[in-house]
Amino acid sequence: MLNIKKVNLAYKRYQQNFETGTKFERIKARYLNNKKEVMELSELNDKERDHILLINLGSVITYYLSIWKNDVLISQNNRVEALKQMQIAVFQQCMAQDLYKVRYPQMMTEYRFREVVMTLIHFTMFGWNREENILFEFIVEQFGGSILEVEESNKHTWFLLELYLKYRNKELWESNHNLSKTVKEKYLKAKVKNDLIPDDLEVYNEVLTNWETKELSIIKSLVNEMVEYHSILASGLGESLEFGDFRYAFYPYEILFLLHVRKKRGLPNPEHFDDFLMNTPEAKMNIQDPEPYPELDPLLKMVDEFYRKNYPEYIPNQHGELFQ
């Protein structure tokens, strides 16, 4: 049962973490130091140590995460520019990681499956079709492999990916139905570790069954269930694995994506929300359709240019200039 007092207390902690707890100057200093290192590697064209470029992309995400939270969560000005830079950085991590799968087969990825799916659905919401398609092809090629392990416990991640497949009429492993169950069953047969993959997506199963309903009352009821599920887990800030992290606990992007794809299909959505979660600054961000590309972060630009110059097989080389 949802405890409103607990939700409010968790949200205050969530907000204070970025208002007073996060040391932005330290984060910025690390970003600037990594930017300097990338510049030096680029000038030397140092291919022996260029994996450092990939590792340094993490500081871009952390840097823009802090800017995004300050813009939206603290200042409440609805700017999504920093959020866009974060998604581009994850995309570049995927593209660069592909280059090292032979040279460093044991190299740990700088991203998680959930972050790749999150980027995919944000590209979709931003209307960045070229980049969305490139990232989806990466997912198809690497799904379940060493550079895109999919032993993921978060139910909303599996929900988002399956909803994306249904919306775009695409498939993974010849399926766009009960995807997590399909993957788990194949892993069981192959005796591959699958303990974290959920057997049941709970509320999301019903949403996936009815995501195209024309009945406003049905979608209202389902959204309310999603809101309650998310809110209960977010109230366990720092404890819940699903929505208990300090980065996205009160950012209901799984609900926003559902509303987005329904709107694109011309289906009715609730116009007003009375709950706490859907009235947070992050939930009320103004995402345009399509969203303009940002001016690319200088560190991201240098990394992209290095890989384009030195690796013909670098995936973006097949697609020309991106994010413009």
Side-chain angles (χ1 to χ4, degrees):
M1 182 178 293
L2 183 61
N3 184 326
I4 298 299
K5 183 178 179 180
K6 189 176 180 182
V7 170
N8 286 327
L9 287 172
Y11 185 75
K12 286 180 180 178
R13 288 176 56 214
Y14 176 72
Q15 195 172 33
Q16 287 171 356
N17 178 64
F18 290 97
E19 194 168 23
T20 59
T22 301
K23 305 301 181 184
F24 178 70
E25 290 306 316
R26 187 181 302 166
I27 291 170
K28 184 178 179 180
R30 178 170 175 257
Y31 164 81
L32 292 174
N33 183 64
N34 286 352
K35 182 179 174 183
K36 181 181 177 183
E37 187 174 32
V38 168
M39 191 177 299
E40 290 172 353
L41 283 166
S42 297
E43 289 174 352
L44 294 171
N45 205 38
D46 189 350
K47 289 184 66 176
E48 293 297 317
R49 299 190 303 133
D50 62 18
H51 61 282
I52 294 173
L53 304 180
L54 170 56
I55 294 170
N56 284 351
L57 288 173
S59 67
V60 180
I61 297 171
T62 305
Y63 175 60
Y64 281 104
L65 174 67
S66 295
I67 294 174
W68 175 50
K69 293 299 184 179
N70 182 72
D71 285 346
V72 177
L73 189 64
I74 310 303
S75 302
Q76 300 189 21
N77 63 15
N78 291 335
R79 283 174 51 84
V80 297
E81 296 306 297
L83 177 62
K84 291 189 283 190
Q85 298 282 7
M86 290 166 59
Q87 308 310 314
I88 294 171
V90 174
F91 174 87
Q92 283 202 357
Q93 285 179 326
C94 294
M95 299 299 102
Q97 191 74 56
D98 181 71
L99 298 172
Y100 296 103
K101 61 188 177 186
V102 175
R103 196 200 307 181
Y104 303 121
Q106 303 302 317
M107 185 179 184
M108 293 185 64
T109 61
E110 297 294 315
Y111 50 80
R112 300 288 297 276
F113 176 56
R114 70 189 72 168
E115 291 155 355
V116 178
V117 171
M118 185 181 186
T119 297
L120 180 71
I121 67 103
H122 275 87
F123 281 4
T124 308
M125 288 195 292
F126 294 160
W128 297 354
N129 295 329
R130 285 191 307 157
E131 293 79 10
E132 173 203 328
N133 290 331
I134 295 167
L135 185 58
F136 179 71
E137 286 305 311
F138 171 86
I139 292 171
V140 171
E141 291 294 324
Q142 307 302 336
F143 193 77
S146 62
I147 66 171
L148 191 59
E149 295 182 356
V150 298
E151 197 189 7
E152 172 61 55
S153 63
N154 283 348
K155 295 178 174 67
H156 77 273
T157 298
W158 290 103
F159 160 73
L160 283 167
L161 183 54
E162 185 167 330
L163 178 58
Y164 171 84
L165 294 174
K166 292 179 183 299
Y167 170 58
R168 290 301 197 201
N169 195 27
K170 296 180 177 180
E171 293 184 342
L172 267 171
W173 286 6
E174 301 179 344
S175 176
N176 66 4
H177 181 66
N178 289 335
L179 184 63
S180 63
K181 186 177 180 181
T182 298
V183 174
K184 193 174 183 73
E185 287 174 352
K186 287 192 176 185
Y187 274 14
L188 278 168
K189 289 179 182 178
K191 297 183 179 180
V192 175
K193 194 171 185 298
N194 60 80
D195 298 348
L196 297 179
I197 300 174
D199 295 303
D200 184 0
L201 298 188
E202 299 187 58
V203 62
Y204 300 127
N205 285 326
E206 192 176 355
V207 179
L208 288 166
T209 299
N210 294 282
W211 76 275
E212 287 185 291
T213 180
K214 295 180 181 178
E215 297 295 326
L216 184 58
S217 60
I218 293 176
I219 204 64
K220 275 184 176 180
S221 176
L222 290 172
V223 168
N224 286 339
E225 289 182 45
M226 292 173 73
V227 166
E228 182 169 7
Y229 178 78
H230 187 133
S231 300
I232 289 171
L233 293 172
S235 68
L237 192 66
E239 300 169 7
S240 163
L241 294 176
E242 185 87 27
F243 291 114
D245 71 283
F246 278 87
R247 295 174 301 167
Y248 306 117
F250 287 91
Y251 177 35
Y253 54 94
E254 80 288 7
I255 301 172
L256 297 177
F257 185 61
L258 171 65
L259 298 176
H260 170 82
V261 299
R262 283 182 56 80
K263 181 179 179 181
K264 297 294 282 187
R265 287 288 176 90
L267 298 167
N269 281 327
E271 294 184 3
H272 303 286
F273 298 95
D274 298 324
D275 60 272
F276 181 85
L277 181 68
M278 295 301 289
N279 284 285
T280 60
E282 289 158 296
K284 297 177 77 66
M285 285 188 304
N286 180 28
I287 296 178
Q288 299 180 53
D289 184 17
E291 187 66 37
Y293 292 115
E295 183 176 345
L296 198 61
D297 169 83
L299 193 156
L300 293 179
K301 189 172 183 180
M302 282 190 289
V303 171
D304 181 63
E305 288 174 348
F306 182 95
Y307 286 128
R308 283 180 182 272
K309 180 175 69 173
N310 288 287
Y311 295 92
E313 68 273 30
Y314 179 54
I315 295 172
N317 273 336
Q318 305 165 25
H319 302 278
E321 294 299 320
L322 298 175
F323 302 107
Q324 56 181 262

